Amino acid sequence: MTALRPETAETQPAGDGPGPSLAGVHESIATLLASRGQWRQAYQHLRSALDLVHADQVEEPHVPEQLRREVELLRREHAEAREQSLRDSLTDSYNRRYLDQRLMDLLTEHGACRHGLAIALIDLDWFKQVNDTFGHLLGDRVLQRVVELLQQDLPEDAFCARYGGEEFVLVLPRVDASRAVEIAEAARERVEHHPWQDVAPGLRVTVSAGLSYEPPAAEAPQRPPVGAEQQLLRADSLLYTAKQSGRNAVAYRADGRVRLAGAAAGRRAITETRVLGYY
């Protein structure tokens, strides 16, 4: 970070107080903090310096161009640092921290869903065998490619987050139940039909998914409120059903029954694990 020229902070009229010199101290501190990568603290000191310089002016203050550039730089750096803190370092999908924050935003304080909300919990099938056969380095490449495939053609406001290990979550706000099934099944098909042989001869990758859906509160006023944790538990129960039904499938609930989407619909589904409060 480049410091302001000395005359910017020191040669302006001093007025009755120690504003300019104190502003210079704030600026020096900001420069030091920025050099250490402590952008948030540096930004606070730059703001303090600006406030002090213009404290006694009645008219709207003129912001020195160089200070304006420094503040804008710090804002961008802070925004980028925050974005990185919400991303998974391997796959660049969102991480669990972001997932928890967004689910809280999508649900009201009482757990009622403002709009339709679908959550697909997705797990790679037999991923341990991929690591054991092809090595962990290639396994990491597989995870990265799977995330790319899962994120393709997602509707607006939808996102993918890494839940842990080889498990990922697709969060689909503002969709109805049938559209949610279509999206999850299309993602499963993209993974299945990807040319994995080009990545490594003999490699085959598929995923299983459990899709839970919460309708808008206005459409089901008699239903008790559902929180993010409960909806994830439902998705996890359906994921278990998809696994036990032969894998490479999307399991969901419709009309009180568990079903499998797409090509897996002809398989004989097992009795699902019961989850408290599941309708």
Side-chain angles (χ1 to χ4, degrees), residues 97-115:
R97 176 185 177 189
Y98 180 84
L99 173 66
D100 292 341
Q101 290 177 356
R102 284 292 290 130
L103 287 179
M104 287 296 294
D105 291 341
L106 291 168
L107 299 170
T108 67
E109 296 178 347
H110 305 292
C113 190
R114 299 188 188 97
H115 308 281

Side-chain angles (χ1 to χ4, degrees), residues 23 34 42 45 69 102 104 110 133 164 166 179 192 228 237 245 273:
H45 279 282
R69 290 196 300 268
R102 284 292 290 130
M104 287 296 294
H110 305 292
T133 303
E166 62 269 22
R179 178 60 179 147
E192 179 186 15
S237 172
S245 302
T273 303

